[in-house]
Each structure stands twice: as structure tokens, then as C-alpha cells.
Amino acid sequence: MNGGDEVVTAPAGPPQPLDWKFSQVFGERTAGEEVQEVDIISAIEFDKTGDHLATGDRGGRVVLFERTDTKDHDALRRDLERTDHPINRHPEFRYKTEFQSHEPEFDYLKSLEIEEKINKIRWCQTANRALFLLSTNDKTIKFWKVQEKKVKKISEMNLDPPKAVGNGCVASSSNSNSPTLCLANGGSSGNDFSFPPGGLPSLRLPVVVTSQETNLVARCRRVYAHAHDYHINSISNNSDGETFISADDLRINLWNLEISNQSFNIVDVKPANMEDLTEVITSAEFHPTHCNMLAYSSSKGSIRLIDLRQSALCDSHAKLFEEPEAPGSRSFFTEIIASISDIKFAKDGRYMLSRDYMTLKLWDINMDSGPVSTFQVHEYLRPKLCDLYENDSIFDKFECCLSGDGLRVATGSYSNLFRIFGCAPGSTEATTLEASKNPMRRQVQTPSRPSRSLSSITRVVRRGAETSGVDANGNSFDFTTKLLHLAWHPTENSIACAAANSLYMYYA
């Protein structure tokens, strides 16, 4: 208001699409190099600050990376802020340490091999400059503490050469009251030798000295075992910092971090007769701020939100989120591709993101009538569902993630591609990137034109699938190279994704 004139600000439009750039790669393969099965990355997770990144692989190892540019550029950042310059910081991580989290085991009662592959990693709250994280394979969850410890060394303890008697050593036996002189030829002078008054100045006993060198030590603090009959697919920390859940195909258990020999079963969908089994649990996640709420997804494409305050056994849900099936669209593959492989809460807890085989769906937890947005990930594969079923690719479990500001979502696809969609109202952002040093090389080179709606993008994608074996951009797709795992930095537009044994990082 100025002089009676009212200033009306125009409504802000959707954010502009981001320009993604290659940042780093760890474990890059050379041309023709064969990937070892144990080196394939199977889990990725940023911590809450975004300063640490953990990856797990099929060999049971956990590798930690730490951010370096925030430490090196603090002074430069302050200078830029004083001069009102935009801060275009290039995110950089370096290898920190790695440790063997799980080993292959054998269940003798069930004659079943338990592989060491890391299924999930979750960071816990830090304390006393130590890092804490949970890692799990199919059966066992472990709680790890990673801390820098000063290296302890033993100081010299030999005799001074000029003062040594017969080039031997003076030894004091703990089992004998009298000292014995050991000569160079291995003989002994018996009890003829006695210490002079004040002792021998040339004998130095071993002393442990703490040096200034530090070593990273990973120590398993607790093992949470023997609580799941089926393969663990999810672990999730509670916002209370004290508890976490673990989920398998039929049950969800609640644990206290301090107690490893007891857990509480809070969800059990196992029927009395296994022949009546119609759906299984595929993913579970705690609400980011409400410690009493969690969500779990099923193989039928539904998400159930439960409230731990309602009852001890939460078989009845507080809310059910599912999309009604379009009439006449049912086929042999309908139930298979409807199965949700991953769910994530947005940072504020208002929205949930789910990934099924063909789409990403964004849900408002206050609206259970259907998703607020649906994004087609690889619609051009729909005519190839029969082939995907034959080679088992249709059962691949792709993960999904949201940006820290909640404006964008991302997920992986085949040919080492991943998709990023804008989910702000009015946004038409739909970017395809490849996990390589040139992420934009799969983009269609077209002149600039007015932005089009998501529905028209979907139609273009469908037309691009008419040629067998090519994607929407005319590139041949490869079912053997799949990008299943990715994570979005919690505060910046930076993405880490896994392509086989390589970890690629991008920023915008």
C-alpha cells in the first residue's frame, strides 16, 4: 500500500526446470570391464545433514563417503554472501571408509542360504562426533558405530646397545622372584646376576603412547536377529530417535535401538491358511515428524497409513490409499505392475511418493480418494510387458525419492536412465538423464518450443514405443542395465544414483 494504491503481486509460476550437471563418479568401469556380482550397489542413503552418504553392495559391504566442499569453502561462502554473489558450490564427496557389515550365512533348520547383500541402510542420530547407522540383509539387522580413534603405539623397549650386557637382554620372569640375565648365545647366568641399586637405566619397559594420528573404526554395537521368517524389505527410523521398524513380506516389527533381543510385532498380514494369501507387504516407512504414524505399501498397489496409538496390533489401518482400477483396463499383468516397490514421505510429512512398475504417484495424506499426481516413467515399455515378464524384469524393484523442498521427484528406469519430474502445481518438468559422465546425451535435440502439458508428453512417449526395442527418444533400451537405487540430497538439488558397481552424482 502506497498513497492509497494497492500493489498486487502476480502469482508465482512453477519453478523452472533444473539444468543437471555431472559431479562425480566412484568405481567407474573401464570399457569392457566385467562387473563382479559382489560389487553391485544395492542400497544408497544420505544422512539428514547431507554431509555423509552410505552405499551397500551385494558383497555385504557398507562404504561411507563424506562431503568435503562445505569444509573447504566456508570462508569463500562468507565472502560471497557479503558481496551478494550467488553461491554456485560444486558438491564434492570423498571416500571415507568401508567395512564388512554382513557375511553369507546358512540356516540349517530351513536348509537355506542367507546372502550377504545389503538390502537397506538407514542413518541414525549422531552423538559425540560418531556416526551411527542401521544396515540389513534378508534376515539380520545390525547397528553400527563409526568413529575416529587416535592410534595407540607401543614405544621402544629394547636396551641401549652400548650398555647391553653380552649383547643380550635383561628379562624379568613373572613366575620367578629372581631376575635372570639372557646372554647372546641363549645361555643364562642364573642367580649370579643382581640389579644394581636404582635399577638398570638401559631397560625400558613397553609404554603405550597415543599419537596424533587417527583411524576410522567401525564397530557393530548391536545385532537384531531371529525376528523375521521372510526376507526383510524395509527398515525405517522413528523421529523419536529411540525406535525403528523392520518389515518383511508379512510382518512389521517395532524395535528399540537399545534392545536387540526383543521386538514387538505391530502388523501381521499372514492368513491362517497360506493358500488364502492375496497380498504381501513391499515397503514400510515411518512418518518423518509424527512418531506414532507409519505407512506401508502392498503388492496390490495400496498404501495403508496406521496409527500406533490405536492398538498394539495395527492390523486395522487409519487410512487406505489406492487408485480405483479403470474399467476395461484389466489384463494378465495388471496386478504385477500395480505392486508398489517403494514409498517415501516428503520432508514435511504431508505427501507420500510411491513407485510401481510403470508410474510414480504422489499422494496427499489428507486425501485418500486417489493420487494428486501420476507420472509415467517408461510408458513406451507397455507393449513389451510380455517380454519383461519372460525375462523377470517385470519384477524389478525401482526406488524413488523426493527433493528436500518437495518440488521434484525422481526414480530410475532401464538403460541406466533416471527420470526427474516437477510436482509443483502447473509444472511440466519431465527430464530424462543417463547415469554417465554426460547425463544429457539421451535428450531429444529439438528447438525450443512452448511448454506442453504432461498429458501431451505421455502421448509422445507412447508414440515413441511403436518401434521395437527403442525408447521415447529413439535409443535402444537395455533391460540388463537398470537404475534401481538413487537418493536425493536432503537440502540441495543433488542426486546420487547407482549403475551396477558405479556411484554417479549430479547437481543442478
Side-chain angles (χ1 to χ4, degrees):
M1 302 284 287
N2 187 7
D5 296 328
E6 186 176 345
V7 178
V8 180
T9 56
Q16 292 296 310
L18 295 176
D19 180 23
W20 289 92
K21 300 180 182 69
F22 169 77
S23 173
Q24 284 174 285
V25 59
F26 295 94
E28 185 182 19
R29 279 176 291 158
T30 56
E33 181 186 352
E34 189 176 343
V35 180
Q36 299 296 317
E37 178 82 9
V38 293
D39 294 332
I40 295 175
I41 297 172
S42 56
I44 300 180
E45 187 79 6
F46 279 105
D47 71 348
K48 281 189 176 179
T49 64
D51 290 338
H52 293 92
L53 175 68
T55 65
D57 63 26
R58 294 189 184 181
R61 293 167 302 217
V62 172
V63 183
L64 304 185
F65 301 88
E66 71 174 350
R67 189 160 182 177
T68 56
D69 61 298
T70 49
K71 299 174 183 175
D72 301 340
H73 292 78
D74 281 346
L76 176 62
R77 179 189 178 93
R78 286 193 293 270
D79 293 341
L80 290 171
E81 285 174 344
R82 274 198 295 269
T83 55
D84 286 338
H85 276 78
I87 302 167
N88 294 320
R89 193 172 60 214
H90 180 74
E92 289 181 5
F93 283 77
R94 72 173 177 88
Y95 169 86
K96 187 177 179 75
T97 188
E98 68 178 87
F99 55 90
Q100 188 71 34
S101 173
H102 288 72
E103 300 278 0
E105 298 175 56
F106 191 81
D107 187 335
Y108 292 98
L109 290 176
K110 298 181 179 178
S111 296
L112 187 70
E113 285 187 29
I114 304 169
E115 59 180 354
E116 64 271 34
K117 178 174 82 82
I118 304 296
N119 289 344
K120 295 288 178 183
I121 297 173
R122 288 292 181 267
W123 290 92
C124 303
Q125 291 180 354
T126 58
N128 301 325
R129 301 184 67 183
L131 302 173
F132 295 89
L133 53 118
L134 290 163
S135 62
T136 184
N137 66 351
D138 285 339
K139 294 290 184 180
T140 306
I141 307 156
K142 294 186 179 181
F143 183 48
W144 291 92
K145 178 182 182 180
V146 182
Q147 191 174 28
E148 280 191 351
K149 295 212 170 180
K150 289 189 174 178
V151 178
K152 293 183 178 178
K153 294 181 177 179
I154 298 175
S155 67
E156 294 180 13
M157 53 184 172
N158 60 298
L159 284 167
D160 290 334
K163 298 180 181 178
V165 182
N167 293 327
C169 63
V170 176
S172 176
S173 171
S174 60
N175 298 323
S176 173
N177 295 325
S178 57
T180 305
L181 177 66
C182 303
L183 300 179
N185 59 7
S188 172
S189 61
N191 293 329
D192 298 335
F193 179 82
S194 60
F195 280 103
L200 280 174
S202 57
L203 176 65
R204 292 195 295 274
L205 294 173
V207 178
V208 177
V209 177
T210 303
S211 71
Q212 292 306 309
E213 295 177 44
T214 57
N215 222 352
L216 274 166
V217 179
R219 192 161 63 91
C220 183
R221 295 286 303 276
R222 285 178 194 86
V223 178
Y224 312 91
H226 313 301
H228 287 277
D229 292 329
Y230 305 92
H231 289 178
I232 298 171
N233 55 49
S234 304
I235 50 175
S236 179
N237 308 74
N238 198 345
S239 58
D240 63 9
E242 297 179 0
T243 56
F244 71 94
I245 54 167
S246 58
D248 64 22
D249 291 342
L250 298 178
R251 295 187 179 96
I252 299 176
N253 292 335
L254 178 69
W255 301 83
N256 188 299
L257 279 167
E258 301 295 323
I259 303 168
S260 59
N261 60 356
Q262 184 182 34
S263 67
F264 296 95
N265 177 228
I266 55 173
V267 174
D268 189 347
V269 299
K270 184 179 180 181
N273 183 356
M274 285 295 282
E275 290 182 1
D276 298 332
L277 183 68
T278 57
E279 64 180 329
V280 295
I281 298 167
T282 56
S283 183
E285 181 102 343
F286 258 121
H287 191 281
T289 55
H290 298 326
C291 62
N292 57 289
M293 290 174 64
L294 64 96
Y296 69 92
S297 59
S298 83
S299 56
K300 278 195 166 180
S302 60
I303 303 172
R304 289 172 174 84
L305 192 68
I306 61 176
D307 191 335
L308 297 175
R309 298 170 300 184
Q310 285 185 338
S311 63
L313 189 61
C314 303
D315 287 343
S316 59
H317 51 267
K319 282 189 177 180
L320 175 67
F321 301 88
E322 59 184 356
E323 190 170 26
E325 189 181 309
S329 63
R330 190 165 186 81
S331 71
F332 174 76
F333 304 110
T334 300
E335 279 196 19
I336 300 174
I337 64 174
S339 177
I340 295 174
S341 55
D342 191 25
I343 56 169
K344 293 283 192 324
F345 274 101
K347 199 173 183 179
D348 61 1
R350 170 71 185 271
Y351 294 95
M352 290 185 297
L353 182 67
S354 68
R355 170 70 205 263
D356 57 42
Y357 189 69
M358 299 297 289
T359 65
L360 273 175
K361 291 186 175 78
L362 189 68
W363 307 80
D364 184 338
I365 65 168
N366 296 332
M367 189 183 85
D368 53 6
S369 57
V372 292
S373 299
T374 299
F375 307 99
Q376 308 289 346
V377 178
H378 40 216
E379 190 64 26
Y380 52 84
L381 292 181
R382 198 171 287 274
K384 309 287 289 181
L385 288 178
C386 193
D387 296 337
L388 292 161
Y389 179 76
E390 290 292 330
N391 61 24
D392 284 344
S393 295
I394 202 169
F395 302 106
D396 288 334
K397 293 175 170 55
F398 292 94
E399 292 179 2
C400 59
C401 57
L402 297 97
S403 60
D405 56 16
L407 296 177
R408 293 173 181 87
V409 296
T411 192
S413 181
Y414 294 101
S415 305
N416 282 343
L417 301 178
F418 61 103
R419 310 284 319 269
I420 297 170
F421 300 97
C423 53
S427 174
T428 58
E429 183 176 355
T431 308
T432 303
L433 302 169
E434 181 185 40
S436 68
K437 286 187 174 179
N438 181 14
M440 305 298 286
R441 79 182 179 97
R442 291 293 187 114
Q443 297 297 303
V444 186
Q445 300 300 317
T446 53
S448 59
R449 55 171 162 250
S451 62
R452 53 182 186 240
S453 67
L454 276 175
S455 59
S456 63
I457 290 175
T458 306
R459 286 198 294 274
V460 170
V461 168
R462 284 185 181 133
R463 282 202 296 272
E466 290 167 6
T467 307
S468 175
V470 297
D471 63 16
N473 298 340
N475 301 304
S476 59
F477 49 71
D478 181 4
F479 297 140
T480 61
T481 54
K482 57 195 78 168
L483 200 150
L484 301 175
H485 312 285
L486 76 172
W488 201 303
H489 191 282
T491 58
E492 298 178 11
N493 286 321
S494 175
I495 288 180
C497 56
N501 65 324
S502 303
L503 176 68
Y504 287 91
M505 307 191 75
Y506 302 94
Y507 73 101

